[in-house]
């Protein structure tokens, strides 16, 4: 069978993107797991390979359809244009190059030429979208470009630890306005369906964190608890709300398949303390699959061979698994007789969850 084609964006050419990519694929084993395709520049890749002393081989191809298995492929997105490399510096040229790489990869992803996308880190402040708007991050941009009207849910993953967010990276003063019944319900349904389809967890358990420190404020009583109660009745196994400090302090997250945090720092601070250098940023809720290492451009480490590539490797592994799980999930549900047979062996909660997935 043909191996899964994974597109890889180069990210910021002055950051640690190429360092993580080249280091990850220096051994042949990584390229044997999938067909990796970098959207970038051969000249920039060669520069990083030589300056870091890596032995990683890659072949330049014209398009994703000509990618070869068992090797690292690279599509030249820049023709003969020279890209100025200034290691460790935030430059406009690096921003243009990062967005060009991302746009080319998204076009192929939308057309089905690749099956999943892994994005290297970039610097949001150097990106200037063609529509003149503000670049709010790769997740938001991907949602607008290929989301087909669906809302993306940002998740952070490390092994069995999965933390999703109701509100993203916004000012603290704006957080309460985003804690609405509609937003929480939408996030919980997306999370529930993602756990079932992309992670193939048949009967997922979701913990919901509180907004206030002791889980006894107005938002908990009037917004969060009513949503939990309503969705639980509809088959989404969500419980809470839990105060974040006590929840993570007691390792309660180990009893759940995922956690829904109310705001960015609440979820991500705990995640980075637990995940260390192996965290993955997962984009849920969209028709396409995208992962990323949960690290920044790290200009201060760029070009010094100091970056741990484990997060990037995990992003590749997660993308491969998600493609397989989604394919298996969809295939099994095209056979109604098989589904009925499996359903007979399930308990009532699992039957309810199947109904929610179909209705939503």
């Amino acid at each position: 069978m043909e191996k899964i084609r994974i597109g890889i964006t180069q990210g910021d050419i002055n950051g640690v993107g190429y360092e993580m990519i080249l280091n990850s694929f220096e051994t042949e084993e990584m390229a044997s797991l999938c067909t990796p395709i970098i959207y970038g520049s051969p000249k920039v890749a060669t520069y990083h390979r030589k300056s870091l002393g890596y032995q990683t081989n890659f072949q330049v191809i014209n398009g994703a359809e000509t990618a070869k298995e068992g090797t690292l492929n690279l599509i030249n997105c820049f023709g003969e244009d020279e890209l100025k490399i200034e290691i460790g510096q935030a430059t406009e040229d690096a921003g243009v190059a990062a967005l060009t790489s991302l746009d080319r990869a998204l076009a192929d992803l939308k057309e089905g030429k690749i099956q999943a996308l892994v994005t290297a880190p970039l610097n949001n402040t150097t990106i200037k979208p063609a529509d003149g708007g503000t670049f709010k991050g790769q997740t938001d941009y991907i949602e607008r470009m290929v989301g087909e009207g669906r809302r993306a849910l940002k998740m952070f993953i490390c092994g069995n630890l999965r933390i999703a967010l109701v509100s993203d990276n916004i000012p603290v003063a704006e957080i309460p306005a985003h804690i609405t019944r509609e937003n929480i319900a939408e996030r919980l349904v997306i999370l529930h369906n993602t756990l079932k389809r992309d992670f193939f967890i048949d009967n997922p358990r979701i913990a919901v964190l509180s907004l206030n420190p002791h889980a006894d404020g107005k938002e908990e009583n009037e917004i969060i608890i009513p949503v939990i109660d309503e969705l639980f009745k509809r088959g989404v196994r969500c419980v809470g709300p839990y105060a974040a400090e006590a929840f993570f302090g007691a390792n309660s997250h180990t009893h759940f398949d995922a956690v829904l945090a109310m705001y960015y720092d609440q979820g991500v601070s705990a995640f980075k303390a637990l995940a260390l250098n192996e965290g993955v940023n997962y984009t849920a809720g969209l028709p396409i699959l995208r992962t990323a290492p949960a690290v920044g451009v790290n200009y201060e480490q760029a070009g010094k061979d100091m970056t741990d590539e484990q997060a990037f490797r995990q992003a590749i592994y997660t993308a491969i698994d998600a493609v397989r799980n989604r394919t298996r999930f969809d295939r099994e549900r095209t056979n109604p007789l098989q589904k009925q047979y499996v359903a007979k062996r399930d308990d009532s909660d699992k039957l309810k969850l199947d109904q929610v997935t179909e209705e939503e």
Side-chain angles (χ1 to χ4, degrees):
M1 294 180 64
E2 186 179 77
K3 287 185 169 60
I4 295 169
R5 295 189 178 193
I6 303 293
I8 301 168
T9 62
Q10 66 177 5
D12 191 311
I13 60 176
N14 298 327
V16 297
Y18 269 112
E19 187 169 332
M20 289 192 295
I21 296 168
L22 296 173
N23 201 357
S24 294
F25 286 98
E26 193 168 23
T27 59
E28 295 181 358
E29 288 79 4
M30 280 296 290
S32 69
L33 298 176
C34 62
T35 301
I37 306 169
I38 303 173
Y39 291 80
S41 163
K43 293 181 180 179
V44 175
T46 300
Y47 172 88
H48 283 279
R49 182 177 63 183
K50 289 182 178 180
S51 64
L52 294 165
Y54 293 157
Q55 302 301 313
T56 312
N57 294 317
F58 61 85
Q59 68 166 5
V60 180
I61 59 175
N62 293 324
E65 59 277 3
T66 62
K68 293 183 179 180
E69 295 183 359
T71 188
L72 182 61
N73 300 273
L74 191 151
I75 296 175
N76 187 2
C77 300
F78 304 95
E80 297 300 322
D81 292 344
E82 291 284 350
L83 294 178
K84 187 176 182 181
I85 303 171
E86 299 180 62
I87 298 297
Q89 302 298 316
T91 67
E92 185 175 335
D93 286 347
V96 172
L99 188 59
T100 300
S101 169
L102 180 58
D103 283 338
R104 179 72 179 273
L106 288 177
D108 280 0
L109 184 62
K110 190 172 183 178
E111 293 178 12
K113 295 180 179 179
I114 54 178
Q115 292 158 281
L117 178 64
V118 177
T119 57
L122 50 73
N123 184 340
N124 293 347
T125 64
T126 65
I127 306 294
K128 293 179 172 53
D131 60 9
T134 301
F135 190 83
K136 298 179 181 179
Q138 295 192 82
T139 300
D140 176 79
Y141 187 77
I142 291 170
E143 176 188 271
R144 290 193 289 115
M145 294 296 106
V146 296
E148 298 179 4
R150 303 185 192 179
R151 288 191 65 187
L153 173 67
K154 184 177 289 186
M155 295 175 59
F156 291 88
I157 301 170
C158 182
N160 291 327
L161 174 65
R162 306 176 187 92
I163 300 179
L165 309 175
V166 173
S167 60
D168 201 353
N169 199 355
I170 59 176
V172 174
E174 298 177 12
I175 292 173
H178 288 76
I179 308 305
T180 65
R181 292 193 183 191
E182 293 75 17
N183 279 343
I184 296 173
E186 179 188 51
R187 285 347 204 181
L188 280 171
V189 169
I190 292 174
L191 181 55
H192 165 79
N193 290 339
T194 298
L195 292 171
K196 288 175 68 69
R197 188 178 183 217
D198 294 358
F199 295 88
F200 215 75
I201 300 173
D202 184 57
N203 196 14
R205 288 170 49 86
I206 302 171
V208 181
L209 300 184
S210 64
L211 175 65
N212 297 295
H214 300 291
D216 60 358
K218 178 180 179 181
E219 289 82 4
E220 284 75 28
N221 293 319
E222 298 182 5
I223 300 173
I224 301 175
I225 292 175
V227 171
I228 292 174
D229 291 343
E230 175 60 26
L231 286 183
F232 195 90
K233 293 175 183 176
R234 293 168 55 191
V236 178
R237 294 186 68 193
C238 51
V239 294
Y242 297 99
E245 178 184 9
F247 181 81
F248 289 109
N251 286 324
S252 297
H253 61 277
T254 61
H255 302 296
F256 294 89
D257 298 299
V259 179
L260 182 68
M262 291 296 113
Y263 55 95
Y264 187 88
D265 284 357
Q266 183 186 58
V268 177
S269 296
F271 176 82
K272 292 195 173 182
L274 294 168
L276 298 178
N277 297 318
E278 298 185 10
V280 174
N281 185 336
Y282 190 91
T283 302
L286 301 184
I288 56 87
L289 288 170
R290 176 257 180 168
T291 67
V295 299
V297 291
N298 290 342
Y299 287 134
E300 67 281 359
Q301 294 183 3
K304 301 176 182 178
D305 195 19
M306 295 172 56
T307 301
D308 190 334
E309 78 282 2
Q310 285 305 310
F312 184 84
R313 285 176 179 263
Q314 292 299 327
I316 293 285
Y317 300 150
T318 302
I320 294 171
D321 287 343
V323 172
R324 289 173 176 166
N325 288 336
R326 187 175 283 193
T327 301
R328 179 184 173 190
F329 182 93
D330 293 344
R331 182 176 63 244
E332 290 191 359
R333 277 148 185 79
T334 61
N335 186 343
L337 291 178
Q338 180 182 17
K339 182 178 179 182
Q340 289 176 13
Y341 173 74
V342 173
K344 288 179 181 178
R345 297 182 299 160
D346 286 345
D347 58 30
S348 59
D349 282 337
K350 293 182 181 180
L351 290 175
K352 291 178 183 177
L353 292 174
D354 283 336
Q355 292 169 6
V356 171
T357 301
E358 293 169 357
E359 291 171 2
E360 298 297 342

